[in-house]
């Protein structure tokens, strides 16, 4: 398998143990045996007047001690036997005879199935403003109850940073972009693989040179810019090359505008989601990104009362930048090549300039093919007046972070109040990497109910401990390069991602819309990225997106809300072959989860909590098996 340098982790292998720990356990076992034997003999010496119940009690104790010592000995001496932790819980004993439901492979035509962006389903919806490209999920009776197959010949992706430039053809077998974008240097086909030269429509000299040009206009080196959003990302070369500068970009594009563009981005190991700016807000909280970017993304920024640029304003942090290259910027030079009239392009640029001005943005540079605007740090001097006829007006009081199937609006999202011109609305954020461990302003202000600075500091310590424990069970988590794309299904404050930030990987932090509190804004203030999601629906991503999925109390959160089976099938869909899963939850729920994992043909094991066996919360470690569709795809159709 490509990229495989060490044997794959399997959850039935034992956690690492040192020689000293084994000696200590042997010593403790000897003490237990001695004490049990002593009390047994002492009990036998007592006068015969001792009641039979007392004798029975002592015998029971003797048997339990012996059993315990034998079990401890097995843990430390027999490395070939699998441990069955579930047999020590009454729920497991009660369900031992339940038949495990198996899930067959889906037909090969579903190998790239994205349930909520299904092209056939999208035809039912209006084409106006690209509404048909938004999320439209299947009804419950339409959900597939089978496992999505990988294409025949699927290989493990190249390790980062090689994956930035290379991907296996078998993993994403589409050549259309190599022809359509050949001149623009997006992607090339070379034998059994694709190569990504780093080109783009508006950066023929490569993404690095293009980013250098941006860096001459705004500071990309001091850590003030950490999070970015790339609209209409193509194969996400802009985001891929920003990573070497400690800037993490959330890239998105609609499915099938250019075939498999987001799939290529994810295969390269770059954060991306299927998405489009249409009639709904983007699935991010307000004030999330330090920088927003559009390189010929074909979004009509000046149309529809500027609604798309207004949405960019909502997710852009105070003082953040919006970068535009491509039509109509520098139209005086390119108008013939774009096959448009001077008047048309001039009108388009004038429309964009007017919308930006109405948002109180300041144009700080236009050089060559690049134009950059900056959002104000507060609205104290913004000329937008709710009582005037100026467009856009400030939005009525509502939650600016609400972004799950929330209608997009043609009104300006008001920034938090400030007391002076110099004050940053919502609170100033430290430069990267200091912002990672500093208490986010949303927590300091008390805007996240029940979450205090003390809660945050405790969470930081907690997740360092938990991730350290994870690495003793799955030692490949501690091997740089083994995992690249990670998903945290219930991220809370992003502690899991923060504890792994020094490794060559990225984490998509999910805040479920059903969660008690919305913490995604605080996650972005830490310099991490993520999105909203309901796990009663499919995620806006392709199959085989993630190398490792982490799920903390997800099944407790969704108990009685949606089917555990459907959630597990979705996890299987978006997990790569031989990808890993870590699930922590109440033991009763984990027993049920394991039964479904067995039906999915995952190799899995339940182990004790990091604080020991007396804690009801347990952990399930699992690995998805490697399998693909048949060589002859007709057999699977």
């Amino acid at each position: 398998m490509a990229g495989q340098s060490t044997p794959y982790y399997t959850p039935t292998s034992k956690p690492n143990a040192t020689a000293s720990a084994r000696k200590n356990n042997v010593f403790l076992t000897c003490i237990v045996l001695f004490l049990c034997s002593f009390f047994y003999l002492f009990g036998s010496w007592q006068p015969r007047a001792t009641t039979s119940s007392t004798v029975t009690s002592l015998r029971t104790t003797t048997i339990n001690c012996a059993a315990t010592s034998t079990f401890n000995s097995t843990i430390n001496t027999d490395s070939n036997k699998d441990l069955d932790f579930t047999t020590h819980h009454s729920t497991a004993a009660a369900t031992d005879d339940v038949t495990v439901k198996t899930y067959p492979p889906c037909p090969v035509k579903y190998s790239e199935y994205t349930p909520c962006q299904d092209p056939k389903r999208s035809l039912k919806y209006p084409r106006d403003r690209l509404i048909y490209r938004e999320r439209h999920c299947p009804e419950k009776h339409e959900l597939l109850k089978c496992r999505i197959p990988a294409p025949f010949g699927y290989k493990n992706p190249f390790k980062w940073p090689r994956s930035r430039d290379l991907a296996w053809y078998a993993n994403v077998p589409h050549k259309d972009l190599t022809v359509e974008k050949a001149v623009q240097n997006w992607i090339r086909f070379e034998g059994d693989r694709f190569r990504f030269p780093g080109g783009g429509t508006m950066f023929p000299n490569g993404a690095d040179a293009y980013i250098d040009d941006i860096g001459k206009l705004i500071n990309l080196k001091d850590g003030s810019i950490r999070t970015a959003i790339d609209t209409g990302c193509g194969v996400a070369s802009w985001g891929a090359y920003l990573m070497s500068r400690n800037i993490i970009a959330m890239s998105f594009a609609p499915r099938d505008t250019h075939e498999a563009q987001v799939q290529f981005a994810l295969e390269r190991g770059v954060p991306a989601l299927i998405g489009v700016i249409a009639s709904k807000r983007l699935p991010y909280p307000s004030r999330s990104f330090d920088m927003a970017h559009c390189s010929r993304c074909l979004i009509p920024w000046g149309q529809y009362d500027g609604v798309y640029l207004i949405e960019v304003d909502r997710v852009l942090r105070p003082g953040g930048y919006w970068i535009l290259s491509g039509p109509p910027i520098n139209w005086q030079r390119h108008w013939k090549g774009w096959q448009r009239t001077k008047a048309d392009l001039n009108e388009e640029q004038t429309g964009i300039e007017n919308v930006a001005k109405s948002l109180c943005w300041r144009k700080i540079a236009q050089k060559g093919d690049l134009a950059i605007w900056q959002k104000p740090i507060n609205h104290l001097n913004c000329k937008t007046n709710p009582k005037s006829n100026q467009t856009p007006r400030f939005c009525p009081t509502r939650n600016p972070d609400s972004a799950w199937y929330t209608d997009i609006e043609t009104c300006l999202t008001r920034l938090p109040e400030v007391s002076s011109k110099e004050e940053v609305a919502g609170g100033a954020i430290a430069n990267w990497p200091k912002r990672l461990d500093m208490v986010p302003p949303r927590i300091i202000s008390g805007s996240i109910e029940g979450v205090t600075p003390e809660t945050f500091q405790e969470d930081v310590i907690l997740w360092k401990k938990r991730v350290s424990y994870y690495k003793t069970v799955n030692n490949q988590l501690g091997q740089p390069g083994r995992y690249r794309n990670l998903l945290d299904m219930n991220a809370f404050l992003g502690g899991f991602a923060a504890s792994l930030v020094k490794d060559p990987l990225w984490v998509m932090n999910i805040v479920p819309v059903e969660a008690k509190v919305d913490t995604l804004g605080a996650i972005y203030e830490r310099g991490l990225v993520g999105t909203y999601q309901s796990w009663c629906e499919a995620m806006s991503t392709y199959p085989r997106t993630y190398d490792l999925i982490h799920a903390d109390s997800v099944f407790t959160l969704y108990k009685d809300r949606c089917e555990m089976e459907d959630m597990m099938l979705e996890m299987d869909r978006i997990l790569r072959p031989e990808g890993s899963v870590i699930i922590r939850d109440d033991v009763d729920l984990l027993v049920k989860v394991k039964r479904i994992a067995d039906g999915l043909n995952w190799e899995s094991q339940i182990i004790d909590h990091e604080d020991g066996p007396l804690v009801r919360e347990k952990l399930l470690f699992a690995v998805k098996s490697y399998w693909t569709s048949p060589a002859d795809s007709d057999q699977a159709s």
Side-chain angles (χ1 to χ4, degrees):
M1 298 299 295
Q4 180 176 347
S5 60
T6 58
Y8 275 102
Y9 155 76
T10 57
T12 52
S13 60
K14 306 297 182 295
N16 293 338
T18 62
S20 61
R22 284 195 289 267
K23 289 179 181 178
N24 289 337
N25 285 334
V26 170
F27 178 71
L28 290 173
T29 301
C30 291
I31 291 177
V32 170
L33 285 172
F34 171 77
L35 291 174
C36 289
S37 301
F38 171 78
F39 284 113
Y40 177 78
L41 293 173
F42 181 76
S44 300
W45 176 77
Q46 295 296 316
R48 293 187 178 273
T50 304
T51 62
S52 59
S53 61
T54 304
V55 173
T56 302
S57 175
L58 285 170
R59 287 177 178 173
T60 303
T61 303
T62 303
I63 293 171
N64 286 340
C65 286
T68 301
S69 64
T70 303
F71 180 67
N72 287 336
S73 177
T74 302
I75 290 178
N76 293 291
T77 61
D78 189 353
S79 60
N80 295 317
K81 278 190 177 183
D82 295 338
L83 298 182
D84 183 5
F85 292 87
T86 61
T87 56
H88 302 286
H89 305 293
S90 60
T91 52
T95 57
D96 280 344
D97 296 331
V98 176
T99 302
V100 173
K101 179 180 178 180
T102 58
Y103 300 90
C106 299
V108 71
K109 66 181 180 180
Y110 291 107
S111 66
E112 294 178 0
Y113 183 53
T114 54
C116 297
Q117 279 85 16
D118 182 20
K120 290 184 178 179
R121 184 177 296 105
S122 70
L123 298 176
K124 303 176 184 178
Y125 297 90
R127 301 184 73 83
D128 181 50
R129 287 180 53 178
L130 298 181
I131 291 174
Y132 75 109
R133 293 194 185 277
E134 292 183 317
R135 283 177 60 89
H136 303 292
C137 298
E139 299 292 335
K140 186 174 181 178
H141 68 274
E142 299 177 287
L143 298 177
L144 297 180
K145 302 293 183 179
C146 53
R147 296 177 291 139
I148 302 297
F152 178 75
Y154 179 89
K155 300 180 181 181
N156 296 321
F158 293 94
K159 289 184 178 180
W160 184 267
R162 291 189 73 203
S163 67
R164 187 190 69 177
D165 304 322
L166 296 170
W168 296 110
Y169 169 74
N171 293 10
V172 192
H174 299 290
K175 295 182 182 178
D176 289 6
L177 278 177
T178 65
V179 178
E180 184 179 348
K181 298 295 180 181
V183 178
Q184 295 159 8
N185 231 13
W186 279 25
I187 182 172
R188 297 174 187 165
F189 177 63
E190 299 178 355
D192 61 350
R193 64 195 65 183
F194 291 109
R195 182 175 295 277
F196 303 91
T201 307
M202 293 308 301
F203 32 99
N205 296 323
D208 250 347
Y210 176 80
I211 294 169
D212 284 339
D213 288 340
I214 295 173
K216 295 172 185 176
L217 303 175
I218 57 176
N219 196 332
L220 300 178
K221 296 180 179 179
D222 65 353
S224 61
I225 296 176
R226 164 61 180 173
T227 56
I229 184 168
D230 191 12
T231 57
C233 63
V235 294
S237 288
W238 187 71
Y241 280 82
L242 277 174
M243 285 190 157
S244 62
R245 304 168 194 244
N246 280 324
I247 298 173
I248 184 167
M250 178 68 75
S251 302
F252 76 89
R255 175 173 175 155
D256 297 327
T257 297
H258 297 306
E259 190 172 29
Q261 54 187 332
V262 169
Q263 192 174 13
F264 278 123
L266 291 160
E267 194 69 18
R268 297 175 72 182
V270 180
L273 284 173
I274 300 172
V276 64
I277 302 183
S279 68
K280 306 295 181 185
R281 284 180 171 180
L282 296 172
Y284 315 109
S286 63
R287 314 192 319 270
S288 294
F289 299 99
D290 301 309
M291 178 169 59
H293 174 257
C294 163
S295 174
R296 202 170 187 176
C297 59
L298 305 180
I299 296 173
W301 297 112
Q303 296 181 23
Y304 309 111
D305 296 323
V307 66
Y308 303 136
L309 211 50
I310 291 170
E311 176 60 5
V312 170
D313 178 85
R314 184 185 69 85
V315 300
L316 200 59
R317 186 161 291 145
Y321 301 96
W322 183 58
I323 303 169
L324 176 64
S325 66
I329 304 303
N330 203 8
W331 58 265
Q332 296 88 343
R333 177 182 176 185
H334 297 296
W335 68 276
K336 288 184 179 179
W338 291 337
Q339 298 181 342
R340 293 175 60 183
T341 66
K342 293 181 179 180
D344 179 35
L345 287 162
N346 184 51
E347 182 182 358
E348 182 180 348
Q349 179 149 358
T350 300
I352 291 173
E353 302 277 6
N354 288 339
V355 174
K357 186 179 293 185
S358 73
L359 296 172
C360 305
W361 291 5
R362 179 174 64 93
K363 190 173 186 179
I364 62 171
Q366 180 169 327
K367 185 175 181 181
D369 297 336
L370 283 168
I372 303 178
W373 287 262
Q374 186 174 25
K375 179 177 176 176
I377 62 172
N378 58 58
H379 280 158
L380 201 61
N381 288 339
C382 187
K383 295 179 181 179
T384 300
N385 186 337
K387 296 181 180 179
S388 75
N389 293 322
Q390 182 179 348
T391 302
R393 301 180 182 182
F394 280 122
C395 293
T397 303
R398 65 175 301 177
N399 182 2
D401 295 344
S402 177
W404 186 249
Y405 294 116
T406 303
D407 289 339
I408 201 169
E409 295 178 300
T410 55
C411 57
L412 181 59
T413 299
R414 188 187 294 271
L415 289 172
E417 295 293 333
V418 296
S419 56
S420 69
K421 296 179 183 179
E422 294 76 25
E423 184 180 350
V424 178
I429 298 174
N431 291 356
W432 180 263
K434 289 184 178 179
R435 70 171 68 173
L436 180 68
D437 293 320
M438 293 188 70
V439 181
R442 294 182 198 232
I443 295 178
I444 294 174
S445 68
S447 60
I448 304 178
E449 184 181 356
V451 180
T452 65
E454 291 73 24
T455 305
F456 175 80
Q457 298 295 354
E458 290 168 1
D459 191 74
V460 169
I461 296 170
L462 175 67
W463 280 104
K464 286 180 179 178
K465 174 184 177 181
R466 286 181 170 180
V467 170
S468 177
Y469 181 64
Y470 290 169
K471 289 180 178 180
T472 65
V473 180
N474 177 357
N475 58 14
Q476 293 197 8
L477 185 58
Q479 295 176 8
R482 169 62 183 92
Y483 303 114
R484 174 63 185 171
N485 302 359
L486 276 67
L487 174 71
D488 192 354
M489 295 177 68
N490 189 15
F492 189 44
L493 297 174
F496 173 72
S499 296
L500 293 167
V501 77
K502 293 183 180 179
D503 295 337
L505 54 81
W506 62 273
V507 179
M508 181 71 81
N509 292 283
I510 302 295
V511 172
V513 294
E514 296 87 355
K516 184 178 179 181
V517 291
D518 179 1
T519 53
L520 190 55
I523 288 173
Y524 271 96
E525 288 176 341
R526 299 188 72 181
L528 306 171
V529 295
T531 185
Y532 294 112
Q533 172 69 35
S534 171
W535 290 114
C536 291
E537 298 180 1
M539 192 175 175
S540 292
T541 192
Y542 282 87
R544 302 171 298 281
T545 293
Y546 293 99
D547 306 307
L548 185 147
I549 297 177
H550 178 257
D552 177 14
S553 306
V554 169
F555 293 98
T556 292
L557 177 63
Y558 283 93
K559 187 178 180 181
D560 302 325
R561 281 192 166 109
C562 48
E563 297 295 329
M564 182 183 291
E565 170 186 74
D566 295 328
M567 293 172 63
M568 292 285 286
L569 282 165
E570 174 62 5
M571 292 170 69
D572 184 80
R573 183 184 75 87
I574 63 180
L575 186 64
R576 294 191 188 278
E578 296 181 319
S580 297
V581 177
I582 303 173
I583 302 173
R584 57 187 310 131
D585 222 311
D586 183 84
V587 62
D588 291 347
L589 288 174
L590 275 195
V591 169
K592 297 176 182 177
V593 168
K594 188 181 188 312
R595 195 181 310 125
I596 298 174
D598 293 341
L600 293 170
N601 202 26
W602 294 0
E603 186 178 0
S604 64
Q605 183 183 30
I606 297 175
I607 71 167
D608 283 327
H609 189 275
E610 58 269 10
D611 290 335
L614 300 182
V615 182
R616 276 196 62 84
E617 184 177 76
K618 304 294 178 184
L619 290 85
L620 183 141
F621 283 75
V623 174
K624 178 179 175 179
S625 61
Y626 175 87
W627 66 282
T628 70
S629 56
D632 183 357
S633 60
D634 291 339
Q635 294 176 1
S637 299

